[in-house]
Amino acid sequence: MDFYAYFWNNEVYIQEKYRFSSNEILTKYLNTNYLKKIEELDLLYQLCSLQEKIKLKEDMSYDNIEKYDKYVQDAQYYFDMINKCLHRLPPYNKILKFPIITLSDLLNGFCIFFEDGLDDDYDNIDWSTVNKYGSGEIDESGHSHFHLHYFQPKIESDWNNYDLDLLEELNQLNKIIEIIFSRYISFIKSYISIQKVFRPFVENYLHMKGTFPNEHEVAEYFSGFNKNNSKNFEKINCQMKSFGYKVLIDENKKPILCEQILFSDLQSFLFYDFFNGIRNNYIPNKCKHCGKFFLIRGGKYFSYCDNPLKDEPDKTCRDVGSRRHYDDKCKNDPIWQTYNRAYKAHYARYMKKKMTISEFEKWSRFASSLRDKAIAREVEFEQYYADIRK
């Protein structure tokens, strides 16, 4: 499922017109939970296996021919399941036309290779023509045809009985089958990579210091992750079919010069977009309150998202989480506990007019600086405790 992506500053345009922030698409995938189902079904193996079983071959076994329709139905079941995901997730929910053509419809385009039970009598097909293999249909132009619902290959034991045109058509069918399956297989591989490579890197490495990582820290995290994890970025093959530049028009009707890249799979796009976003502090993070991933769009670093709370819609995770985080630090960290008590004491002085507003603000700046030095162990705790209480 090839698609063009156009990169400019902190934005990416899919197929020229669908605008996203860097790492916005990855963040949406991180908030999905299809991996368990994929692993329970062993979906990657099933698709690869079905791809070979559905191709028409000279040496197809009797068992394969007898079970061929079941294989087609199984494949379409998996396709439908994946299509539901594609319908919800970018960029495919923007660029694919739904409903997507079914495997049954595609095979009907090559019905000459399948049993139909009609004994070559196609002259009297109408709505009443029904048998084990399919039923008669009439298209919008009034032409009648027989549509297969049950697929049983009729493969010649000797391919020399096929003329060149039929052999070419058979090769074309197998090529189409391979293309269709490869698209779904590619998506599943990409999704597994998102959950087993991108996700643990974001959760366990990218936010190690609780702030935006600088370029040296990103390099350190990248190296450490690849060294300590068998599934890592070194095993991602970023496939670009073409690279160039193109002028697009932004939302302000201004021309912008974008990198134009044709990607052949989702994983390659995310790989490029991910590190491009990190350079500009557009990074996904996992909310420490609700556990959902959210995108930090440069500027200030956040550990909590701004999604409204279910039980208090007028408040967000950021409202509640920051306060709880501060309270936890004041309960468990002597440095923060001392700071909090000193702040309350000085604020009480200000409220009783024993300190002016300027004196209180001056002390507040001094106390914050002293607290940070104590955290960094630039000041001994005893000295910190004595100085902040003055």
Side-chain angles (χ1 to χ4, degrees):
M1 288 181 272
D2 298 353
F3 60 90
Y4 277 101
Y6 300 82
F7 297 88
W8 183 74
N9 288 349
N10 302 315
E11 297 177 344
V12 55
Y13 294 78
I14 302 296
Q15 300 292 75
E16 299 192 18
K17 57 182 179 178
Y18 302 110
R19 182 168 63 93
F20 298 90
S21 296
S22 293
N23 279 323
E24 182 179 351
I25 292 178
L26 173 61
T27 304
K28 292 183 182 296
Y29 278 86
L30 291 174
N31 278 318
T32 61
N33 55 356
Y34 305 134
L35 183 61
K36 183 179 180 181
K37 186 71 171 179
I38 289 172
E39 292 181 333
E40 285 176 349
L41 293 173
D42 199 1
L43 189 53
L44 196 56
Y45 169 79
Q46 294 295 344
L47 289 175
C48 292
S49 176
L50 287 168
Q51 176 181 216
E52 294 306 311
K53 291 174 180 176
I54 291 176
K55 288 180 181 178
L56 298 184
K57 305 172 185 176
E58 183 180 16
D59 58 351
M60 288 181 73
S61 67
Y62 175 79
D63 184 62
N64 196 159
I65 293 174
E66 285 297 302
K67 294 180 179 178
Y68 189 88
D69 185 71
K70 180 182 182 305
Y71 297 146
V72 172
Q73 303 306 323
D74 287 347
Q76 189 59 53
Y77 170 78
Y78 294 137
F79 290 172
D80 289 342
M81 184 174 65
I82 297 171
N83 287 340
K84 288 181 181 178
C85 301
L86 298 178
H87 196 274
R88 300 185 187 106
L89 293 168
Y92 303 112
N93 62 342
K94 301 290 188 182
I95 62 178
L96 290 180
K97 293 182 179 179
F98 295 93
I100 299 175
I101 189 169
T102 66
L103 183 57
S104 174
D105 288 336
L106 288 167
L107 293 179
N108 264 280
F110 298 86
C111 56
I112 191 172
F113 299 112
F114 299 97
E115 300 288 351
D116 57 24
L118 295 178
D119 298 324
D120 297 328
D121 183 11
Y122 293 93
D123 294 333
N124 299 313
I125 294 176
D126 56 26
W127 290 107
S128 64
T129 308
V130 179
N131 62 26
K132 166 185 175 181
Y133 299 99
S135 60
E137 295 183 357
I138 299 177
D139 61 25
E140 295 178 353
S141 302
H143 298 110
S144 61
H145 65 281
F146 193 73
H147 189 85
L148 295 172
H149 306 300
Y150 180 89
F151 296 92
Q152 182 176 327
K154 52 178 183 181
I155 296 295
E156 294 280 358
S157 58
D158 183 359
W159 280 30
N160 290 326
N161 292 331
Y162 283 132
D163 60 31
L164 291 178
D165 288 340
L166 276 178
L167 280 175
E168 177 60 30
E169 194 167 348
L170 188 63
N171 290 333
Q172 184 182 0
L173 169 59
N174 286 334
K175 184 176 180 180
I176 290 174
I177 290 172
E178 186 168 334
I179 290 173
I180 293 170
F181 273 87
S182 66
R183 289 174 176 174
Y184 287 103
I185 289 170
S186 172
F187 176 76
I188 294 301
K189 285 182 176 179
S190 296
Y191 188 84
I192 292 173
S193 175
I194 290 167
Q195 300 300 331
K196 293 198 170 184
V197 180
F198 290 86
R199 183 184 182 118
F201 182 74
V202 170
E203 285 188 309
N204 304 323
Y205 285 79
L206 190 58
H207 300 277
M208 197 175 293
K209 293 187 177 180
T211 186
F212 290 119
N214 60 42
E215 57 185 10
H216 305 297
E217 289 168 339
V218 172
E220 179 184 335
Y221 299 160
F222 182 82
S223 178
F225 179 81
N226 289 335
K227 181 180 179 180
N228 298 325
N229 295 271
S230 58
K231 295 185 180 298
N232 56 55
F233 292 108
E234 290 181 343
K235 296 184 178 179
I236 293 179
N237 179 23
C238 187
Q239 302 175 48
M240 298 181 186
K241 287 193 170 181
S242 66
F243 180 93
Y245 289 90
K246 185 171 184 177
V247 174
L248 299 183
I249 304 300
D250 68 9
E251 66 276 14
N252 297 317
K253 309 300 182 183
K254 300 290 185 180
I256 50 175
L257 182 61
C258 305
E259 292 179 343
Q260 173 187 266
I261 304 176
L262 177 59
F263 290 101
S264 59
D265 65 311
L266 177 66
Q267 178 183 244
S268 297
F269 162 74
L270 293 177
F271 185 77
Y272 186 87
D273 187 45
F274 183 49
F275 290 99
N276 186 58
I278 289 175
R279 283 194 295 269
N280 297 302
N281 290 336
Y282 272 59
I283 58 178
N285 196 5
K286 188 175 183 180
C287 178
K288 291 184 178 180
H289 181 66
C290 70
K292 292 183 178 180
F293 287 88
F294 66 101
L295 180 63
I296 305 174
R297 290 177 166 85
K300 187 177 179 180
Y301 180 91
F302 294 104
S303 296
Y304 300 91
C305 70
D306 57 3
N307 292 327
L309 304 177
K310 289 184 178 180
D311 52 346
E312 296 180 90
D314 58 324
K315 294 182 180 179
T316 68
C317 288
R318 193 167 297 166
D319 296 331
V320 176
S322 297
R323 181 64 198 179
R324 287 180 181 174
H325 182 60
Y326 178 81
D327 291 343
D328 287 343
K329 287 192 294 186
C330 291
K331 288 179 182 178
N332 303 311
D333 188 326
I335 294 175
W336 277 93
Q337 189 177 67
T338 301
Y339 169 80
N340 189 48
R341 288 175 178 172
Y343 185 92
K344 288 181 177 179
H346 284 75
Y347 185 74
R349 292 180 194 175
Y350 160 68
M351 292 299 292
K352 293 177 181 179
K353 301 188 182 302
K354 294 181 180 181
M355 291 182 74
T356 64
I357 183 64
S358 60
E359 288 174 332
F360 177 73
E361 289 177 348
K362 181 179 180 181
W363 176 88
S364 182
R365 290 192 294 271
F366 158 77
S368 297
S369 176
L370 186 62
R371 178 201 63 207
D372 293 342
K373 289 180 180 179
I375 292 173
R377 297 186 179 180
E378 296 175 5
V379 176
E380 294 293 332
F381 180 78
E382 291 76 9
Q383 185 65 46
Y384 163 72
Y385 183 84
D387 289 347
I388 203 170
R389 291 163 59 88
K390 292 179 181 179

